[in-house]
Amino acid sequence: MNAPPDMNAMKALTTLDSHIRGGQPVDLVVLVLPGFSQLALHAFIEPFRIANVLSKLELFRWRIAGLDARPVVGASGLSVDVDMTLDDLDICIGGKAPNHLAIIAGEPVSRRLPPQITSVLRTFARRGIPISALGTATWLLAQTGLLAGTRCTIHWSRLAAFSEMFQQTQARDALFVKDGQFATCAGELAAFDLAVDLIAGHVSGTIAQEVCRYATVDGQRSGSNRQTGPTGLAFAGASDKLLMAMRIMEEYVENPLSMAEVSRRVGISRRQLERLFAAHVHIPPVRHYLRVRVEHAKRLIEGTSLPIIDIAIACGFVSASHFAKSFRTFHGVSPQQCRVALPAWVGPGLG
């Protein structure tokens, strides 16, 4: 038996039809760079296609741009054909520019932007055209200096390194962040959430909800949602006090708190805190806190060219020897060995 039609959605579509018919669709250009995520690309584009299908109107149209006319190879080894090149994009800025530019990058993010990309991005910014950076593209956008003083986000695996390398930005652990004409996104499935939010802004919240329903997504997620749960938390239904303690530990990496202070901020005794960790995490809270700091350090080693001693200090270690010992305890190698073992496209060249 077919489900009854959603009358609010039908009414919204009727109103939309009379309001937009004869108007111009929102023109999107998606610049994809080598190593891009296919998941992020399709998660971003599909909601616009679905909005067109549901409304029976061309609300959005999109073109894929590349550095040149050759297909762009993604991280999966699959390639995508391009509709326009960077030269075409540069030319169209002087004529009929698109309404929105999105950039999808991947690994490696260590390379510097070609001067022409920097020029195009800055020209778009000067003209007030909205720019969205998905996944590691936030890193590339920050290199242009356009994100100085701007709230932004990047995929969680790069968040620690990004925060250290671009301290003039206001990095957030979020699915996506919109600040002025810039939108930044964690990438992957969070690209869907950003696209749905753009649909709500350009068309209507009802259409955005219908896109989610069509895609069998359980409602529209807020951009402010965190990308991941606390480190080491791989279960549901844990105590709110435990979650709070874990989040506090993650927030205070450079200047670690004592267990007494963590307990006080959570509102429980130290003994209660130890019982929670024993029951759910199976290690003492002090050891979990040490692991949080070491994992943060590992992300900095993998994602920046910062000296090891600077990374140690940034993660709350008072000496290089203590840091090295702690790092080896969890990873079996020294921080220096970890950096040397990185693939050529990761690490010291970054940034």
Side-chain angles (χ1 to χ4, degrees):
M1 182 175 180
N2 294 331
D6 186 324
M7 300 309 296
N8 288 333
M10 296 295 292
K11 181 179 179 181
L13 288 172
T14 302
T15 302
L16 186 67
D17 182 78
S18 61
H19 177 69
I20 294 183
R21 188 172 296 281
Q24 293 298 313
V26 176
D27 186 17
L28 301 161
V29 169
V30 183
L31 174 62
V32 293
L33 301 178
F36 73 95
S37 165
Q38 288 274 3
L39 178 58
L41 173 62
H42 291 288
F44 185 69
I45 289 178
E46 279 298 296
F48 301 118
R49 182 192 68 81
I50 294 171
N52 287 352
V53 170
L54 294 178
S55 66
K56 297 182 174 59
L57 294 169
E58 189 184 23
L59 303 176
F60 300 91
R61 63 184 174 204
W62 50 90
R63 291 169 287 171
I64 303 297
L67 297 178
D68 51 42
R70 293 174 295 181
V72 185
V73 180
S76 65
L78 300 176
S79 61
V80 60
D81 292 331
V82 301
D83 303 305
M84 61 191 305
T85 68
L86 200 58
D87 287 335
D88 297 328
L89 190 57
D90 198 12
I91 291 170
C92 79
I93 295 177
K96 187 180 182 303
N99 303 114
H100 197 111
L101 174 66
I103 315 165
I104 305 180
E107 303 295 355
V109 294
S110 58
R111 60 169 173 261
R112 288 288 179 179
L113 287 175
Q116 191 179 2
I117 293 186
T118 301
S119 174
V120 166
L121 291 176
R122 288 176 176 168
T123 301
F124 266 72
R126 283 196 300 271
R127 293 192 57 177
I129 297 171
I131 300 174
S132 293
L134 280 63
T136 54
T138 302
W139 190 292
L140 303 181
L141 191 58
Q143 286 181 347
T144 67
L146 293 173
L147 295 183
T150 301
R151 291 178 293 110
C152 59
T153 192
I154 193 170
H155 189 270
W156 65 265
S157 66
R158 291 292 182 181
L159 189 58
F162 181 86
S163 299
E164 289 293 330
M165 295 300 295
F166 301 103
Q167 296 185 12
Q168 71 276 22
T169 66
Q170 300 176 34
R172 302 284 190 271
D173 178 5
L175 293 177
F176 64 87
V177 176
K178 294 165 63 180
D179 191 350
Q181 74 183 101
F182 300 108
T184 53
C185 171
E188 309 309 337
L189 291 178
F192 180 93
D193 301 297
L194 174 59
V196 169
D197 185 83
L198 293 175
I199 290 170
H202 283 293
V203 184
S204 76
T206 301
I207 298 300
Q209 292 168 9
E210 285 301 297
V211 168
C212 291
R213 184 168 178 243
Y214 185 91
T216 66
V217 173
D218 187 20
Q220 184 177 350
R221 291 193 297 177
S222 169
S224 62
N225 286 3
R226 285 185 57 153
Q227 296 178 38
T228 60
T231 302
L233 189 62
F235 48 87
S239 162
D240 290 341
K241 297 294 186 180
L242 177 62
L243 294 175
M244 188 183 304
M246 287 180 157
R247 297 215 190 279
I248 289 172
M249 291 175 184
E250 291 183 350
E251 290 171 6
Y252 289 87
V253 170
E254 185 170 357
N255 298 297
L257 303 174
S258 67
M259 286 303 103
E261 179 61 18
V262 172
S263 302
R264 187 190 69 78
R265 295 188 181 210
V266 172
I268 59 178
S269 70
R270 179 168 179 173
R271 181 58 184 159
Q272 288 175 308
L273 182 66
E274 290 172 347
R275 282 199 295 265
L276 282 174
F277 271 85
H280 297 287
V281 190
H282 311 303
I283 59 174
V286 67
R287 185 169 179 80
H288 175 80
Y289 203 173
L290 179 62
R291 183 170 63 185
V292 167
R293 292 158 55 205
V294 167
E295 290 305 313
H296 187 80
K298 186 172 183 286
R299 288 192 290 271
L300 293 181
I301 290 171
E302 293 174 340
T304 76
S305 56
L306 289 172
I308 297 297
I309 186 60
D310 289 352
I311 292 175
I313 293 171
C315 296
F317 292 94
V318 296
S319 70
S321 60
H322 182 214
F323 173 51
K325 180 180 178 181
S326 300
F327 194 93
R328 188 181 293 276
T329 297
F330 286 98
H331 295 291
V333 296
S334 70
Q336 291 84 354
Q337 289 170 324
C338 178
R339 174 163 282 173
V340 169
L342 293 173
W345 49 263
V346 180
L350 198 58

